[in-house]
Amino acid sequence: MYLITFLPCGTKFLVNQSSEEEALKSAVKANETVGEIEDVDLTLKSLYIIEPADFSTLIPLFQKEPYWGNTDDTIIFDD
């Protein structure tokens, strides 16, 4: 499981994947659901912070971040 943050706007993606590479693919797909940003390539890895998620990551995420939606393997948090 990975927590991925999209730097241009702070959207967070909690992704249920076994590798960082697959997690990024899922986050990009979920980010496309949130919406495009003019002149920003959502597929650029440099626009994301990718970190492994564990129970200590989940507590503040669910307490403080507003739920936006989800895909099959990703929970999206965004204002």
Side-chain angles (χ1 to χ4, degrees):
M1 186 175 302
Y2 291 86
L3 178 62
I4 301 178
T5 304
F6 182 59
L7 295 172
C9 59
T11 303
K12 295 184 185 309
F13 304 93
L14 182 61
V15 183
N16 184 23
Q17 288 287 357
S18 58
S19 73
E20 187 175 301
E21 182 180 318
E22 290 302 312
L24 180 59
K25 288 179 186 177
S26 292
V28 168
K29 184 177 177 182
N31 204 6
E32 290 169 347
T33 302
V34 175
E36 298 287 327
I37 297 176
E38 190 173 327
D39 298 325
V40 175
D41 181 358
L42 299 180
T43 65
L44 289 177
K45 185 176 181 177
S46 62
L47 296 179
Y48 297 87
I49 296 173
I50 305 167
E51 53 192 319
D54 59 20
F55 192 70
S56 64
T57 308
L58 299 178
I59 295 169
L61 184 64
F62 283 103
Q63 287 178 334
K64 298 177 184 175
E65 298 293 332
Y67 172 79
W68 188 90
N70 64 284
T71 64
D72 291 339
D73 58 7
T74 304
I75 300 172
I76 306 164
F77 299 90
D78 192 27
D79 288 335

